[in-house]
Amino acid sequence: MANRITRRATVARPIVTTTTTHLPQRRRPPPPTIAPATFFVTSADHEFGYEFHGRHGTPCRLVIRQTSHEETWPGGALWDLGVLLSHVLLAMAGISTATTVTTTTIDDRHNSNNNSNNIDKKRHQQHVIPSWDSLTQNHPNPPPVDSVNNTDDWLHSILLSPRSTWLELGCGVGLTGLVAAAALRPALVVLTDLSVVIDQVTRLNVEENTTKAAIKKGGKQKHNQQQQQQQQQRHGNKRMLGPTNVVAHPLCWGNEEDQVAVQGLIQEFHQLQQKQQQGSIRKGKPKGANATKAATTNTTNTIGKPDVILIGDVAYQHKPGAPSHFEALHQTLRQLSHDDTILIFGTRIRMPASHDLLALFRQDMEPLLQLPADSVEPRWLGNVKHNMTIHFLRRKTESDRSSEEG
């Protein structure tokens, strides 16, 4: 009997000890995380919706498909900076609200068969977009004013110009470039990334969110159809988003062949623009000063190079002492930009080495504007550590570069 009591006591003792030891640990709050959290995108395996009303009140709904497959990771997934950059583009366009649609899978075990049943639940979240003036009014160096045309120099003459060409490097799923096309309506948007990302993710999103370029009716219909097919075979799937041409094209940073191909694509578009301008001038449109401006929009320096380059959240792979892709990206940026190219660069500092990329860019580009993420999204990011900033930069002039070298 004594032996039984002893055995019971020894069996019971660990239970009491375990209870008193682990309960305080369960009640203790989780330690603060150093790595930035994901604020806007809840899953890499569900589609992401981005909705807004355009500059003329036209409703726009973009559906972005993404994937967590290792073959396309991380470019096949949407990241917070893609959403944040999209907000900034809406602010430039004067659009005041946007709605994001995220999907979460819920495991519903309370069904009649008592089996697991996954349900996708959509969540609509409205975002208030600050005005461009409110974003820039407290900046120490607000956007300059062109004394000749009396307009915001690089905002209206470049970023909001319907004749501008845009290029995104490392576009991933393509959200930011598609928002630029839908909200700002430039002439051309070229989305670039590694070929596997373009083929499996980006081009599908371009096709999903745009319609085929309109074909003129009449005697030239057959010729235009053949020309369109040739263009698609040469440049990939070319689509029209409103008046904007959107192209998804592979580009590996530092690869000379890819860079020349992208330059050729933009050059062909610029040459088409010039022919259209010359035809308009011969017909008497535009007139006066606008005719001179239209005739001189594309110079030898700008042909084949975009007016705006988008880069967002590309500094997550670099670790101190490891091979860096920064130099290759910097080389591509230098080759594909002209003297007036505006760079919109969204960065998220995940490690000290992430600063290196911005330092590289500033060797050739002067800062114009810097927007911390909490100024763009104060409701979501006002009281958290986000480490995200949007930088606007422009190529330094020849005199600036010479003075620095001297």
Side-chain angles (χ1 to χ4, degrees):
M1 187 71 168
N3 290 338
R4 281 201 209 113
I5 294 174
T6 304
R7 280 197 299 271
R8 287 176 185 170
T10 55
V11 171
R13 197 172 293 120
I15 298 176
V16 176
T17 303
T18 303
T19 304
T20 57
T21 302
H22 287 81
L23 274 178
Q25 293 181 356
R26 291 173 184 169
R27 294 174 181 173
R28 191 179 302 158
T33 178
I34 299 176
T38 300
F39 300 102
F40 307 120
V41 186
T42 57
S43 169
D45 292 302
H46 293 93
E47 65 182 32
F48 182 89
Y50 195 81
E51 304 172 0
F52 58 92
H53 282 76
R55 296 165 71 179
H56 304 291
T58 305
C60 181
R61 181 176 184 268
L62 299 175
V63 178
I64 303 299
R65 303 188 186 279
Q66 51 177 340
T67 176
S68 62
H69 291 168
E70 185 177 355
E71 188 177 7
T72 57
W73 185 263
L78 177 63
W79 299 85
D80 281 342
L81 259 170
V83 181
L84 196 69
L85 278 167
S86 299
H87 288 355
V88 173
L89 298 180
L90 294 190
M92 291 192 302
I95 298 170
S96 58
T97 59
T99 301
T100 56
V101 184
T102 55
T103 305
T104 305
T105 300
I106 301 175
D107 189 359
D108 181 17
R109 298 180 181 275
H110 302 287
N111 51 56
S112 57
N113 298 327
N114 214 17
N115 295 324
S116 176
N117 184 24
N118 292 334
I119 299 176
D120 288 343
K121 183 177 181 181
K122 293 186 180 296
R123 180 188 180 191
H124 293 71
Q125 182 68 49
Q126 190 173 55
H127 301 261
V128 177
I129 308 298
S131 69
W132 181 253
D133 289 340
S134 67
L135 286 174
T136 59
Q137 64 182 355
N138 295 324
H139 195 270
N141 297 310
V145 175
D146 185 352
S147 58
V148 177
N149 299 316
N150 196 27
T151 59
D152 290 345
D153 184 19
W154 48 271
L155 176 63
H156 291 92
S157 64
I158 300 178
L159 297 180
L160 298 183
S161 171
R163 301 192 56 78
S164 64
T165 55
W166 289 54
L167 169 68
E168 184 169 8
L169 299 176
C171 67
V173 297
L175 172 66
T176 309
L178 287 168
V179 170
L184 300 175
R185 300 297 178 91
L188 173 68
V189 175
V190 182
L191 307 177
T192 67
D193 209 307
L194 296 174
S195 59
V196 64
V197 177
I198 292 294
D199 293 339
Q200 298 189 23
V201 182
T202 315
R203 189 170 286 131
L204 298 178
N205 282 327
V206 171
E207 294 174 348
E208 177 79 15
N209 291 283
T210 58
T211 58
K212 291 184 178 180
I215 299 175
K216 295 181 181 179
K217 296 181 179 180
K220 296 183 179 180
Q221 183 175 7
K222 184 176 181 180
H223 171 73
N224 288 333
Q225 286 177 337
Q226 294 175 348
Q227 186 178 22
Q228 183 188 19
Q229 290 174 356
Q230 291 174 355
Q231 288 178 342
Q232 289 182 359
Q233 290 174 357
R234 180 175 178 182
H235 300 312
N237 288 319
K238 183 177 181 180
R239 297 292 182 265
M240 184 83 73
L241 193 65
T244 301
N245 289 277
V246 182
V247 183
H249 195 285
L251 191 158
C252 178
W253 303 330
N255 185 296
E256 185 68 21
E257 184 178 351
D258 287 354
Q259 291 170 175
V260 170
V262 170
Q263 280 188 285
L265 188 154
I266 299 175
Q267 180 176 350
E268 183 178 337
F269 185 83
H270 282 162
Q271 291 171 345
L272 178 62
Q273 274 188 319
Q274 286 184 332
K275 290 181 181 179
Q276 292 174 343
Q277 290 171 8
Q278 292 169 0
S280 298
I281 293 174
R282 283 196 296 268
K283 294 178 182 179
K285 299 178 182 180
K287 297 180 180 180
N290 289 332
T292 304
K293 184 177 180 181
T296 58
T297 299
N298 294 324
T299 64
T300 304
N301 176 53
T302 63
I303 291 292
K305 298 180 180 180
D307 303 302
V308 184
I309 294 180
L310 280 169
I311 302 176
D313 204 9
V314 295
Y316 45 78
Q317 291 177 325
H318 181 51
K319 298 180 180 179
S324 171
H325 58 278
F326 292 176
E327 290 288 351
L329 176 56
H330 183 218
Q331 185 271 333
T332 298
L333 175 66
R334 294 180 63 179
Q335 178 167 331
L336 296 179
S337 59
H338 58 71
D339 289 345
D340 293 320
T341 295
I342 299 293
L343 170 63
I344 305 177
F345 174 43
T347 181
R348 189 171 199 166
I349 304 301
R350 292 182 169 88
M351 57 193 70
S354 299
H355 294 281
D356 297 346
L357 185 57
L358 180 60
L360 276 176
F361 289 166
R362 284 181 171 171
Q363 291 179 8
D364 308 291
M365 311 197 82
E366 60 175 344
L368 298 173
L369 185 66
Q370 179 174 314
L371 302 176
D374 53 277
S375 68
V376 182
E377 265 287 4
R379 178 183 174 188
W380 288 64
L381 305 175
N383 298 314
V384 298
K385 183 179 180 181
H386 52 76
N387 294 337
M388 292 185 288
T389 309
I390 309 297
H391 301 268
F392 289 75
L393 305 100
R394 180 168 50 189
R395 280 288 293 265
K396 293 178 180 178
T397 62
E398 195 66 37
S399 59
D400 289 336
R401 290 193 289 266
S402 299
S403 62
E404 290 179 358
E405 292 173 0

